[in-house]
Amino acid sequence: MNHALENGAQEVSVSIANSQSSSVEVREEKIDKLEQAIQNNLSIRLFVDKKYSSHSTSRLNKEDLSRFIEEAIEGTKYLSEDEFRTLPDPELYYKGNGQDLGSLDKNFGNVDPEEKIQLAFAAEKEILGSNERIISVSSSYYDGLNSRVMVNSNGFEGDTANSYFGLHTNVSVKGDGDARPEFGWSETAIKYNDLTKTGTGTTALKRALDKIGAEKIESGTMPMIVENRMVGRIFSPLINALNGSAIQQKNSFLIDKLGEKVASEKLTLTDDPFIIGGRGSRLFDGEGIATKKRTVFEKGVLKTYYIDTYYGKKLEMEPNSGSTTNLVFETGNKDLDALIASVKRGIFVTGFNGGNSNGSTGDFSYGIEGFLVENGEIVKPVTEMNITGNMKTLWANIGEIGNDVRDDSSWRTPSILFNDVDFSGL
């Protein structure tokens, strides 16, 4: 940072990231892949004569860094001026002494490599040879640790670290005709001792077998239940529409909607960065701005956008961090089984296959797979169907929000029942 300031930069932000990871994949009782990586990287953002650039390098010896920074500054001088590019107001920075958010397993390096391999083998052996329809099974163990330190020339200093551990099993089975249904199931945790170490194989096999005989059904408008682990696919367009970049570039269907009811009153959503052990928990964002707990939607009313320093200046809005932390839904009182039981005829969606959503209008079209529900019971698997509509209409038509929140993601999504969704099939 000091070297950049001494060589012509007026403001500088520097971060150094270190990461280490390992993974082992087994197939047919043999190790198919074994990987281990350690990486170091420096990123520097330069503000030179009202011009801006960002650079990164993995060459971290002093001589190479000095030359790298000097050349980066000289190159920045040839860029166009951008008056909106500055570091954040120092008053917004995280000032230190925050609580431990439980994002790091301090015993990360103590897991025996042989134990990692045996966990992968054990996951495969849960189902290998257990069913004549099985075509192939592969299982993997993976883990990683990421740490970062950042300094800004106008007063910020901070560091952060997180770890993760996971097991995954994927299985394919013989279906009807040439069909080869497959399914993968994962278990993840921040700390090794919290990782669920059994069940990925049996769950993956059951879910794959359940897909046998999937087919289209007739088109229609009916309720749709989206499984908690799949809600993110239709939730992300709603969150993306709140980003400062989308607002400024007129690529959001929620422009100028602050304080307005834009979704069902059943949608209350909080962004909470301080959940102990939360996957998105953090004390400061990528710019050094201190995180705050805030309401995103309150009974369907939009309460906030996600605004970073750059787009805050362009939009003349107060920066409040341009990214999400832990998104927490206010839940209902029904679990997934109860949601299914409440539907006379509808579709339980367990997967999305392609499709897209238009950021500026909210119009969407997605391929889906799942199960037909009749009289509160799952009847048969369905596939090769599409849902179409508009995001504002979809989220205004929430029937019920489940209580089966997934806690292995920063988006802590429950299963959700939507009314009157258009399905196209036969």
Side-chain angles (χ1 to χ4, degrees), residues 344-392:
K344 184 175 182 181
R345 190 172 194 274
I347 300 292
F348 170 39
V349 174
T350 59
F352 289 94
N353 301 313
N356 59 77
S357 176
N358 185 305
S360 59
T361 66
D363 294 334
F364 66 82
S365 176
Y366 294 110
I368 64 98
E369 60 182 41
F371 298 89
L372 174 65
V373 176
E374 290 185 339
N375 298 318
E377 295 184 355
I378 290 176
V379 176
K380 63 180 179 179
V382 298
T383 190
E384 296 182 7
M385 297 185 68
N386 292 317
I387 58 170
T388 56
N390 184 272
M391 282 294 161
K392 289 182 287 187

Side-chain angles (χ1 to χ4, degrees), residues 27-39:
R27 188 187 304 270
E28 297 179 355
E29 298 182 284
K30 296 179 181 178
I31 295 177
D32 191 51
K33 186 185 297 183
L34 186 64
E35 296 181 339
Q36 186 165 341
I38 298 177
Q39 296 179 314

